[in-house]
Amino acid sequence: MPPLQKIDWTRRSEIDRDRDLGRRSEMAKPFLIILFFFSFFAINPQKALAEGVTPSEAKELRDEVREMFYHAFDGYIEHAFPLDELRPLTCTGEDTLGGYALTLIDSLDTLALLGDHVRFAAAIEWIGENLRFDIDKTVSVFETTIRILGGLLSAHLLASDYATGMKIQSYDDQLLHLSEDLALRLLPAFETPTGIPFGSVNLLHGVDENESKITSTAGGGTLTLEFGVLSRLTNNPVFEQVTKNAVHGIWARRSKINLVGAHINVFTGEWTQKDAGIGTSIDSFYEYLLKAYLLFGCEEYLFIFQEAYKAAMHYLYSDPWYVEVNMNSAAMVWPLFNSLQAFWPGLQVLAGDIVPAVRTHTAFFSVWKKYGFTPEGFNLATFSVQHGQKSYPLRPELIESTYWLFKATRDPRYLDAGRDMVASLQYGARCPCGYCHISDVESYKQEDHMESFFLAETFQVKYLWLLFDLAAGPNNLVENGPYKYIFSTEGHLLPASPQISLVHEHCSYFGAFCKVDERQKSQTFYISVDRQEENDTRFHRDLGSTRFSSRPKSQESLSVSGFIKGLCPGLTHGQKYGISYLTNAMPSKEDTYEGESINQPEVSEVRSHSVVVISNSDSKNLISYDDNKHHQLSQESSSNNQPSER
Ligand code: DMJ
C-alpha cells in the first residue's frame, strides 16, 4: 500500500471524465456570480421546479456531485493535509480543531460511500500509522466526538466488515483502538455534578482548572451515538453510560413545559441562556434523542424525544417557521430562521411527521432561492437577512432535509431543489482548490475557509450524491448495503448491525435519579407489552403493538423492572425515564405525572420502523407516508428485520 501522499490520486478515469464538469466556474468573477443568481432565482424563480430533473439528468448530477467531492478532497490532500482544514482560496491549510488531519478523518466514510477503495485504504493506513491523541491540545468535546470519533468509528465499521464491500484486508482495528484512546481522553470532561460534560478538555491533562463551566445543550446532549457505538464495540459500558447521564442531566432540568434552554452551567445545572429553539446551540440534542432510539432501541430515548418533540411543535412551531421562545414562559424572543434549523424537516421524516416537514422545507428553501444560499440568520419580521448573520459557511442542513424528504415522498420537487443547490455551490462557492465559505449571501463574497463537514457530511456532497443516486438507481451502501444506517449529526454512517443494535443490556438504566423518597416508593408504574415481547429479541418483535402507559392495562402487564434492566427500585415513571424535575422550579402536584395532568404522555404507538414514532392527531399524515413507502417498507421487512433508520 503506498503512503497517502504517494497515491496516484488521478488514477480514476471516471473522475477525470467528470472533472471538467465542475471546472467551468472555478475562476468565476463575483459579478458573474451575481448575474447567475439573479437570472437563476430572481428572474425566473419557478424555472427549476417547472422543468423537473429527468432520470438521466439525475445521473449527471450525481456524477457532478462526485466530481465536486474530489475537487475539494484532492485540494485538501494536495494543499492542506495533514493539517486540519483547507483554505481553498489561497490553496493552503490550517489547524482548526486538534491538528490531526481533521478533514481526512471526516471524509473517510464518504470515500467508502463513493466506493473509492484506493483512497479509503490509503487514508486508513496513514491514520493508523500517524494519528496520536496523546497531545497537549484542548479540544471541543462535541466537535471532537462528532467529527473525529464519529469519523473513525464509521470507517472502522466499514473497513472491518466484508458485508460492506469496503473491507480492507490488512486492517487490524487500528481505528477502533484510536477511538477508544480518544474517548478515554474525553472522559474527564464528564466528571461534573450534573453529568453534563464540560465543553472542552485537554487531551493530555484533562479539564483545565480555568475551563468554562458553561456549555451548550447540543454540546452536552449530542454524544450518545458515537459513545454508545464505542461501548458496544469495546464491551466497555462507561462511554455509553456517561453520555446517557448527560442527556438525563439536561432533560431533568427542562422547564415545566418541556423545553430546554441553549446554555447551561455544568456544575450548578442553572440555565445561563434560556432561549429555547430547534437551531443554534440546541439542534442536535433533539436529533440524537430520536437517533439513539433508532440505533440502540432504548425506549427511554424515544420517550424523551416524544415529550421534547411535542413541546417543540407546540411552543416553537409557527407554521411553517420555528421561533425561539423563553423556555419557561414561552414568550417569543427571536422571530428568526437560523440555518442550523434546516435539519429539522429531515428529523421529522425520521419521526414520521411528514406534513409539517414538507411545509417547513418549502419555507426554508424559499430563503435559499431568495439568496442562492441560506444566511446564518434570516429575520422573519422583516423578511431580510439578520444583521451580522449574513454568511453561508457551507452548511449541509437544508440539503440533508431535502434528501430525507425525497426519500420519503419521491416528490421530484426535491430533486429540483437539489439541482438548484448544486448550481449555487458550483457557481457561488467553488474556488480554486475547494469550496469557499460565503461571507455575505447578498454580495457572494468568498471567504478562505472550508469546514471539514463540507466533505464529511459533505453532506453537502454526501447528501446531494445520495439524493441523485437514489433518483438514478440507487446503487450505494446506504440503500443496498447489508444494514440500515443511521447518519450521525456529522453525516457519518453508523450501521444498525447486530453488534451495535442487538445488545439490549446496554439499554439498562444507570441510576442517575436514584434518590427515592417515601412518596415515590408507593408509586407503581407499568409498561404494558405484548406477550411476545417478553421473549424479546428486539429485531423480531412487533413493536407495532407496543404501548406505553402509566397505568397497568391488564393482567398481562409487566412491571418496568422486567423491561428495563438495572433499575433503581422505587422510582417513579418520570424518574425512570429521566423526566423528573431537579430544579427549584418543582412542578405542582397538578403538573406531575403523579397528578396525571398536563404532561401526561398520550399513549404512543411505536412500530418497527421509525416513520411512526410520533403520535399525531392527524393520522392521515402517517397513512399517506406509509402508503408512499409501502412497497419499500414491505421489501425491507421481508428481507431484513432490523430496525429502520427511516
Ligand atoms: C455539523 O458539524 C453538525 O451537523 C453539527 O450538529 C452542527 N452543524 C454542523 C454543520 O452545519
Side-chain angles (χ1 to χ4, degrees), residues 142-143 146-147 222 283-284 287 340 394-397 400 453 457 459 489-491:
F142 168 71
E143 297 291 355
I146 67 168
R147 299 194 195 204
T222 313
D283 49 2
S284 43
E287 179 183 358
L340 286 168
L394 301 175
R395 289 209 187 277
E397 284 78 5
E400 177 185 358
F453 58 65
E457 310 183 43
F459 264 104
T489 193
E490 188 75 354

PDB file of all heavy atoms in Angstrom, residues 142-143 146-147 222 283-284 287 340 394-397 400 453 457 459 489-491, ligand 1:
ATOM      1  N   PHE A 142     -17.642  18.186  21.960  1.00  0.00           N
ATOM      2  CA  PHE A 142     -18.682  17.965  20.946  1.00  0.00           C
ATOM      3  C   PHE A 142     -18.079  17.780  19.551  1.00  0.00           C
ATOM      4  O   PHE A 142     -18.327  16.777  18.874  1.00  0.00           O
ATOM      5  CB  PHE A 142     -19.655  19.157  20.964  1.00  0.00           C
ATOM      6  CG  PHE A 142     -20.596  19.222  19.796  1.00  0.00           C
ATOM      7  CD1 PHE A 142     -21.642  18.308  19.667  1.00  0.00           C
ATOM      8  CD2 PHE A 142     -20.460  20.215  18.823  1.00  0.00           C
ATOM      9  CE1 PHE A 142     -22.517  18.380  18.592  1.00  0.00           C
ATOM     10  CE2 PHE A 142     -21.334  20.289  17.750  1.00  0.00           C
ATOM     11  CZ  PHE A 142     -22.367  19.372  17.630  1.00  0.00           C
ATOM     12  N   GLU A 143     -17.272  18.742  19.121  1.00  0.00           N
ATOM     13  CA  GLU A 143     -16.723  18.669  17.759  1.00  0.00           C
ATOM     14  C   GLU A 143     -15.807  17.450  17.601  1.00  0.00           C
ATOM     15  O   GLU A 143     -15.806  16.786  16.565  1.00  0.00           O
ATOM     16  CB  GLU A 143     -15.950  19.951  17.407  1.00  0.00           C
ATOM     17  CG  GLU A 143     -16.786  21.217  17.377  1.00  0.00           C
ATOM     18  CD  GLU A 143     -17.792  21.272  16.228  1.00  0.00           C
ATOM     19  OE1 GLU A 143     -17.794  20.368  15.373  1.00  0.00           O
ATOM     20  OE2 GLU A 143     -18.598  22.222  16.215  1.00  0.00           O
ATOM     21  N   ILE A 146     -18.154  14.357  17.317  1.00  0.00           N
ATOM     22  CA  ILE A 146     -18.938  14.131  16.087  1.00  0.00           C
ATOM     23  C   ILE A 146     -18.050  14.034  14.850  1.00  0.00           C
ATOM     24  O   ILE A 146     -18.384  13.332  13.905  1.00  0.00           O
ATOM     25  CB  ILE A 146     -20.051  15.189  15.893  1.00  0.00           C
ATOM     26  CG1 ILE A 146     -19.480  16.598  15.627  1.00  0.00           C
ATOM     27  CG2 ILE A 146     -20.998  15.208  17.086  1.00  0.00           C
ATOM     28  CD1 ILE A 146     -20.535  17.582  15.141  1.00  0.00           C
ATOM     29  N   ARG A 147     -16.913  14.735  14.864  1.00  0.00           N
ATOM     30  CA  ARG A 147     -16.079  14.717  13.652  1.00  0.00           C
ATOM     31  C   ARG A 147     -15.025  13.613  13.706  1.00  0.00           C
ATOM     32  O   ARG A 147     -14.880  12.834  12.775  1.00  0.00           O
ATOM     33  CB  ARG A 147     -15.395  16.077  13.462  1.00  0.00           C
ATOM     34  CG  ARG A 147     -16.390  17.217  13.302  1.00  0.00           C
ATOM     35  CD  ARG A 147     -15.727  18.461  12.794  1.00  0.00           C
ATOM     36  NE  ARG A 147     -16.574  19.636  12.972  1.00  0.00           N
ATOM     37  CZ  ARG A 147     -16.474  20.739  12.247  1.00  0.00           C
ATOM     38  NH1 ARG A 147     -15.575  20.836  11.300  1.00  0.00           N
ATOM     39  NH2 ARG A 147     -17.275  21.769  12.483  1.00  0.00           N
ATOM     40  N   THR A 222     -25.275  15.667  22.521  1.00  0.00           N
ATOM     41  CA  THR A 222     -25.120  15.091  21.176  1.00  0.00           C
ATOM     42  C   THR A 222     -23.919  14.168  21.135  1.00  0.00           C
ATOM     43  O   THR A 222     -23.061  14.283  20.257  1.00  0.00           O
ATOM     44  CB  THR A 222     -24.959  16.226  20.128  1.00  0.00           C
ATOM     45  OG1 THR A 222     -25.956  17.205  20.353  1.00  0.00           O
ATOM     46  CG2 THR A 222     -25.116  15.713  18.708  1.00  0.00           C
ATOM     47  N   ASP A 283     -30.047  22.254  18.487  1.00  0.00           N
ATOM     48  CA  ASP A 283     -30.473  21.395  17.369  1.00  0.00           C
ATOM     49  C   ASP A 283     -30.256  19.887  17.548  1.00  0.00           C
ATOM     50  O   ASP A 283     -31.200  19.097  17.628  1.00  0.00           O
ATOM     51  CB  ASP A 283     -29.815  21.872  16.062  1.00  0.00           C
ATOM     52  CG  ASP A 283     -28.289  22.099  16.179  1.00  0.00           C
ATOM     53  OD1 ASP A 283     -27.730  21.863  17.256  1.00  0.00           O
ATOM     54  OD2 ASP A 283     -27.672  22.480  15.171  1.00  0.00           O
ATOM     55  N   SER A 284     -29.010  19.477  17.629  1.00  0.00           N
ATOM     56  CA  SER A 284     -28.746  18.038  17.581  1.00  0.00           C
ATOM     57  C   SER A 284     -29.090  17.313  18.885  1.00  0.00           C
ATOM     58  O   SER A 284     -29.062  16.079  18.928  1.00  0.00           O
ATOM     59  CB  SER A 284     -27.293  17.775  17.181  1.00  0.00           C
ATOM     60  OG  SER A 284     -26.436  18.645  17.862  1.00  0.00           O
ATOM     61  N   GLU A 287     -32.048  15.729  17.761  1.00  0.00           N
ATOM     62  CA  GLU A 287     -31.682  14.730  16.741  1.00  0.00           C
ATOM     63  C   GLU A 287     -31.199  13.428  17.384  1.00  0.00           C
ATOM     64  O   GLU A 287     -31.606  12.331  16.990  1.00  0.00           O
ATOM     65  CB  GLU A 287     -30.576  15.335  15.863  1.00  0.00           C
ATOM     66  CG  GLU A 287     -30.061  14.429  14.781  1.00  0.00           C
ATOM     67  CD  GLU A 287     -28.906  15.082  13.989  1.00  0.00           C
ATOM     68  OE1 GLU A 287     -28.550  16.245  14.281  1.00  0.00           O
ATOM     69  OE2 GLU A 287     -28.374  14.412  13.099  1.00  0.00           O
ATOM     70  N   LEU A 340     -29.111  26.546  11.011  1.00  0.00           N
ATOM     71  CA  LEU A 340     -28.989  25.241  11.663  1.00  0.00           C
ATOM     72  C   LEU A 340     -30.354  24.565  11.866  1.00  0.00           C
ATOM     73  O   LEU A 340     -30.442  23.359  12.036  1.00  0.00           O
ATOM     74  CB  LEU A 340     -28.268  25.385  13.006  1.00  0.00           C
ATOM     75  CG  LEU A 340     -26.759  25.636  12.903  1.00  0.00           C
ATOM     76  CD1 LEU A 340     -26.191  26.054  14.252  1.00  0.00           C
ATOM     77  CD2 LEU A 340     -26.030  24.414  12.393  1.00  0.00           C
ATOM     78  N   LEU A 394     -21.109  26.968   4.212  1.00  0.00           N
ATOM     79  CA  LEU A 394     -21.241  25.650   3.552  1.00  0.00           C
ATOM     80  C   LEU A 394     -22.034  24.656   4.398  1.00  0.00           C
ATOM     81  O   LEU A 394     -21.697  23.474   4.467  1.00  0.00           O
ATOM     82  CB  LEU A 394     -19.857  25.059   3.235  1.00  0.00           C
ATOM     83  CG  LEU A 394     -18.947  25.874   2.325  1.00  0.00           C
ATOM     84  CD1 LEU A 394     -17.572  25.205   2.208  1.00  0.00           C
ATOM     85  CD2 LEU A 394     -19.549  26.042   0.932  1.00  0.00           C
ATOM     86  N   ARG A 395     -23.062  25.144   5.030  1.00  0.00           N
ATOM     87  CA  ARG A 395     -23.825  24.243   5.908  1.00  0.00           C
ATOM     88  C   ARG A 395     -24.646  23.237   5.112  1.00  0.00           C
ATOM     89  O   ARG A 395     -25.221  23.559   4.077  1.00  0.00           O
ATOM     90  CB  ARG A 395     -24.747  25.057   6.815  1.00  0.00           C
ATOM     91  CG  ARG A 395     -23.999  25.822   7.868  1.00  0.00           C
ATOM     92  CD  ARG A 395     -24.851  26.018   9.105  1.00  0.00           C
ATOM     93  NE  ARG A 395     -24.179  26.896  10.037  1.00  0.00           N
ATOM     94  CZ  ARG A 395     -23.252  26.501  10.896  1.00  0.00           C
ATOM     95  NH1 ARG A 395     -22.895  25.238  10.941  1.00  0.00           N
ATOM     96  NH2 ARG A 395     -22.691  27.362  11.710  1.00  0.00           N
ATOM     97  N   PRO A 396     -24.740  22.021   5.652  1.00  0.00           N
ATOM     98  CA  PRO A 396     -25.432  20.951   4.921  1.00  0.00           C
ATOM     99  C   PRO A 396     -26.907  20.761   5.278  1.00  0.00           C
ATOM    100  O   PRO A 396     -27.597  19.974   4.649  1.00  0.00           O
ATOM    101  CB  PRO A 396     -24.659  19.710   5.380  1.00  0.00           C
ATOM    102  CG  PRO A 396     -24.292  20.030   6.792  1.00  0.00           C
ATOM    103  CD  PRO A 396     -24.019  21.514   6.821  1.00  0.00           C
ATOM    104  N   GLU A 397     -27.384  21.448   6.311  1.00  0.00           N
ATOM    105  CA  GLU A 397     -28.668  21.032   6.902  1.00  0.00           C
ATOM    106  C   GLU A 397     -29.837  21.008   5.931  1.00  0.00           C
ATOM    107  O   GLU A 397     -30.646  20.074   5.935  1.00  0.00           O
ATOM    108  CB  GLU A 397     -29.002  21.925   8.116  1.00  0.00           C
ATOM    109  CG  GLU A 397     -28.221  21.609   9.379  1.00  0.00           C
ATOM    110  CD  GLU A 397     -26.790  22.139   9.378  1.00  0.00           C
ATOM    111  OE1 GLU A 397     -26.418  22.845   8.415  1.00  0.00           O
ATOM    112  OE2 GLU A 397     -26.038  21.852  10.328  1.00  0.00           O
ATOM    113  N   GLU A 400     -29.559  18.109   3.645  1.00  0.00           N
ATOM    114  CA  GLU A 400     -29.876  16.884   4.384  1.00  0.00           C
ATOM    115  C   GLU A 400     -31.399  16.669   4.414  1.00  0.00           C
ATOM    116  O   GLU A 400     -31.891  15.571   4.117  1.00  0.00           O
ATOM    117  CB  GLU A 400     -29.318  17.064   5.809  1.00  0.00           C
ATOM    118  CG  GLU A 400     -29.584  15.951   6.776  1.00  0.00           C
ATOM    119  CD  GLU A 400     -29.071  16.335   8.179  1.00  0.00           C
ATOM    120  OE1 GLU A 400     -28.493  17.441   8.352  1.00  0.00           O
ATOM    121  OE2 GLU A 400     -29.261  15.545   9.105  1.00  0.00           O
ATOM    122  N   PHE A 453     -16.775  19.625   7.537  1.00  0.00           N
ATOM    123  CA  PHE A 453     -18.078  18.992   7.340  1.00  0.00           C
ATOM    124  C   PHE A 453     -18.567  19.121   5.897  1.00  0.00           C
ATOM    125  O   PHE A 453     -19.513  18.447   5.504  1.00  0.00           O
ATOM    126  CB  PHE A 453     -19.130  19.464   8.337  1.00  0.00           C
ATOM    127  CG  PHE A 453     -19.427  20.946   8.376  1.00  0.00           C
ATOM    128  CD1 PHE A 453     -19.993  21.610   7.323  1.00  0.00           C
ATOM    129  CD2 PHE A 453     -19.153  21.666   9.536  1.00  0.00           C
ATOM    130  CE1 PHE A 453     -20.288  22.959   7.395  1.00  0.00           C
ATOM    131  CE2 PHE A 453     -19.435  23.015   9.631  1.00  0.00           C
ATOM    132  CZ  PHE A 453     -20.011  23.665   8.545  1.00  0.00           C
ATOM    133  N   GLU A 457     -19.976  15.502   6.063  1.00  0.00           N
ATOM    134  CA  GLU A 457     -21.379  15.488   5.886  1.00  0.00           C
ATOM    135  C   GLU A 457     -21.475  15.740   4.419  1.00  0.00           C
ATOM    136  O   GLU A 457     -22.497  15.641   3.865  1.00  0.00           O
ATOM    137  CB  GLU A 457     -22.018  16.606   6.657  1.00  0.00           C
ATOM    138  CG  GLU A 457     -21.565  16.636   8.080  1.00  0.00           C
ATOM    139  CD  GLU A 457     -22.246  17.698   8.881  1.00  0.00           C
ATOM    140  OE1 GLU A 457     -23.453  17.843   8.735  1.00  0.00           O
ATOM    141  OE2 GLU A 457     -21.561  18.355   9.655  1.00  0.00           O
ATOM    142  N   PHE A 459     -22.071  16.282   3.409  1.00  0.00           N
ATOM    143  CA  PHE A 459     -23.453  16.315   3.463  1.00  0.00           C
ATOM    144  C   PHE A 459     -23.733  16.947   2.207  1.00  0.00           C
ATOM    145  O   PHE A 459     -24.359  16.393   1.357  1.00  0.00           O
ATOM    146  CB  PHE A 459     -23.873  17.290   4.503  1.00  0.00           C
ATOM    147  CG  PHE A 459     -24.162  16.676   5.773  1.00  0.00           C
ATOM    148  CD1 PHE A 459     -23.257  16.796   6.785  1.00  0.00           C
ATOM    149  CD2 PHE A 459     -25.319  16.023   5.999  1.00  0.00           C
ATOM    150  CE1 PHE A 459     -23.558  16.287   7.998  1.00  0.00           C
ATOM    151  CE2 PHE A 459     -25.597  15.525   7.238  1.00  0.00           C
ATOM    152  CZ  PHE A 459     -24.717  15.661   8.225  1.00  0.00           C
ATOM    153  N   THR A 489     -24.840  13.225  13.420  1.00  0.00           N
ATOM    154  CA  THR A 489     -25.101  14.630  13.096  1.00  0.00           C
ATOM    155  C   THR A 489     -24.034  15.186  12.158  1.00  0.00           C
ATOM    156  O   THR A 489     -24.231  16.194  11.511  1.00  0.00           O
ATOM    157  CB  THR A 489     -25.212  15.487  14.377  1.00  0.00           C
ATOM    158  OG1 THR A 489     -25.758  16.767  14.023  1.00  0.00           O
ATOM    159  CG2 THR A 489     -23.852  15.681  15.052  1.00  0.00           C
ATOM    160  N   GLU A 490     -22.908  14.523  12.074  1.00  0.00           N
ATOM    161  CA  GLU A 490     -21.850  14.924  11.144  1.00  0.00           C
ATOM    162  C   GLU A 490     -21.962  14.127   9.840  1.00  0.00           C
ATOM    163  O   GLU A 490     -21.081  14.174   8.986  1.00  0.00           O
ATOM    164  CB  GLU A 490     -20.478  14.702  11.824  1.00  0.00           C
ATOM    165  CG  GLU A 490     -19.271  15.228  11.080  1.00  0.00           C
ATOM    166  CD  GLU A 490     -19.083  16.742  11.117  1.00  0.00           C
ATOM    167  OE1 GLU A 490     -19.955  17.441  11.643  1.00  0.00           O
ATOM    168  OE2 GLU A 490     -18.065  17.212  10.595  1.00  0.00           O
ATOM    169  N   GLY A 491     -23.039  13.383   9.690  1.00  0.00           N
ATOM    170  CA  GLY A 491     -23.246  12.628   8.457  1.00  0.00           C
ATOM    171  C   GLY A 491     -22.491  11.316   8.400  1.00  0.00           C
ATOM    172  O   GLY A 491     -22.414  10.690   7.340  1.00  0.00           O
TER     173      GLY A 491
HETATM  174  C1  DMJ B   1     -22.172  19.948  11.710  1.00  0.00           C
HETATM  175  O1  DMJ B   1     -20.878  19.889  12.184  1.00  0.00           O
HETATM  176  C2  DMJ B   1     -23.093  19.150  12.556  1.00  0.00           C
HETATM  177  O2  DMJ B   1     -24.222  18.875  11.806  1.00  0.00           O
HETATM  178  C3  DMJ B   1     -23.497  19.833  13.807  1.00  0.00           C
HETATM  179  O3  DMJ B   1     -24.515  19.140  14.505  1.00  0.00           O
HETATM  180  C4  DMJ B   1     -23.959  21.245  13.586  1.00  0.00           C
HETATM  181  N1  DMJ B   1     -23.810  21.641  12.269  1.00  0.00           N
HETATM  182  C5  DMJ B   1     -22.606  21.384  11.563  1.00  0.00           C
HETATM  183  C6  DMJ B   1     -22.798  21.742  10.124  1.00  0.00           C
HETATM  184  O4  DMJ B   1     -23.554  22.867   9.938  1.00  0.00           O
END
